[in-house]
Amino acid sequence: MKVIKAKDYADLSRKAANIISAQVIMNPKCVLGLATGSSPIGTYKQLIEWYNKDDVDFSGVTSVNLDEYVGLPEGHEQSYRSFMEETFFKHININPASTFLPDGNVEDLEKECARYDNLITDLGGIDIQILGLGHNGHIGFNEPDDAFEKMTNIVDLGETTIQANARFFASEEEVPKKAITMGIRAIMQAKKIILVVNGNDKYDILKKALTGAITPHVPASVLQLHADLTVIYCCDQEI
Ligand code: F6R
């Protein structure tokens, strides 16, 4: 595990973007595992800047996102599809047909979970996965539980997750209570993982995830077992 303390959020974002752009330059047909949330926004901004300078070309890249809410109407501005379009996809030359997110609007959600796992397998797995960290230790929407959820699955979002996400909705009641998320297996099978964590409010859970017991009660702790994990964090205290 490589743990890098960034000077500030801009530094964190540049460092993460550096790793991703190097991957795309070395393998223009790579599969990027992407995340939503506030943590990677600066990384996407930096990548867009380099794209605009012709330093990186996304035309051959495929992307698979970690998760999507269940039940938000198509095009809802808080859906993770909309977030990715607005924050990243529409600013770069990735082929829209090569951008994948789980579909939280299908009737048969179990079938959708299996389809998403098969899709990732068919793509040959994920070359590099970017992750944020939830206050409760979740990665993707794999919430604390008694067992690691291996496959893409439907989750009931925990109270802290709903509260944290309420800032994006008019009220807490509007936050969907379920989501569909890539499982731990696909995440752990990514050839490389970058975990980006910003803010002192994440310090305790980051420390627990990286140095505490490996337990499904802290889902991110499983990352200690990954062979190529880079953690880039920005907190006042050192891990
Ligand atoms: C987003 C995701 C979540 C977030 C996590 C941190 O696709 O899967 O696990 O990465 O909730 O969110 P932020 O970055 O908003 O603190």
Side-chain angles (χ1 to χ4, degrees):
M1 174 190 332
K2 201 177 289 165
V3 183
I4 303 170
K5 186 171 186 301
K7 283 201 293 282
D8 50 29
Y9 182 64
D11 184 41
L12 173 153
S13 302
R14 206 170 37 244
K15 284 178 161 62
N18 249 316
I19 299 172
I20 295 171
S21 65
Q23 169 73 45
V24 174
I25 291 165
M26 296 306 286
N27 177 8
K29 288 189 187 313
C30 66
V31 178
L32 296 182
L34 301 178
T36 59
S38 51
S39 308
I41 290 178
T43 305
Y44 298 145
K45 266 199 187 132
Q46 180 64 79
L47 288 169
I48 293 164
E49 204 179 305
W50 289 335
Y51 163 73
N52 285 330
K53 287 184 178 160
D54 267 346
D55 286 338
V56 55
D57 170 14
F58 293 93
S59 59
V61 166
T62 300
S63 71
V64 284
N65 260 77
L66 285 168
D67 39 22
E68 178 60 281
Y69 288 121
V70 167
L72 282 187
E74 209 185 311
H76 189 288
E77 58 170 358
Q78 292 304 334
S79 75
Y80 285 175
R81 164 61 75 182
S82 300
F83 175 99
M84 289 310 299
E85 296 292 346
E86 290 303 315
T87 320
F88 195 33
F89 297 153
K90 79 174 191 191
H91 305 284
I92 57 171
N93 65 341
I94 195 165
N95 177 356
S98 302
T99 63
F100 298 100
L101 281 90
D103 188 344
N105 256 325
V106 292
E107 210 153 287
D108 191 339
L109 288 167
E110 292 304 326
K111 206 163 145 191
E112 175 59 10
C113 289
R115 181 195 74 86
Y116 208 63
D117 283 326
N118 291 335
L119 168 79
I120 295 169
T121 305
D122 291 347
L123 291 171
I126 297 165
D127 290 300
I128 187 161
Q129 175 69 54
I130 184 156
L131 295 175
L133 177 66
H135 286 101
N136 59 4
H138 74 210
I139 46 175
F141 272 139
N142 294 286
E143 300 283 73
D145 208 340
D146 292 335
F148 286 114
E149 273 288 353
K150 295 192 189 70
M151 313 303 283
T152 297
N153 61 101
I154 312 297
V155 277
D156 293 317
L157 300 181
E159 205 43 52
T160 57
T161 304
I162 292 173
Q163 280 163 8
N165 290 2
R167 64 199 145 129
F168 301 116
F169 291 82
S171 69
E172 201 173 307
E173 287 67 56
E174 279 184 34
V175 184
K177 306 290 178 282
K178 282 182 189 293
I180 179 164
T181 181
M182 195 188 283
I184 296 289
R185 192 186 74 149
I187 294 174
M188 286 300 282
Q189 282 183 347
K191 294 176 191 101
K192 189 172 186 59
I193 296 179
I194 313 174
L195 177 66
V196 287
V197 182
N198 181 47
N200 292 329
D201 54 321
K202 297 268 180 83
Y203 177 80
D204 288 343
I205 191 65
L206 179 62
K207 178 130 186 149
K208 218 175 190 182
L210 299 185
T211 63
I214 299 172
T215 161
H217 294 288
V218 183
S221 63
V222 76
L223 299 174
Q224 292 180 36
L225 301 174
H226 195 273
D228 191 349
L229 169 69
T230 302
V231 182
I232 310 174
Y233 74 101
C234 178
C235 306
D236 292 340
Q237 272 177 283
E238 196 115 356
I239 294 294

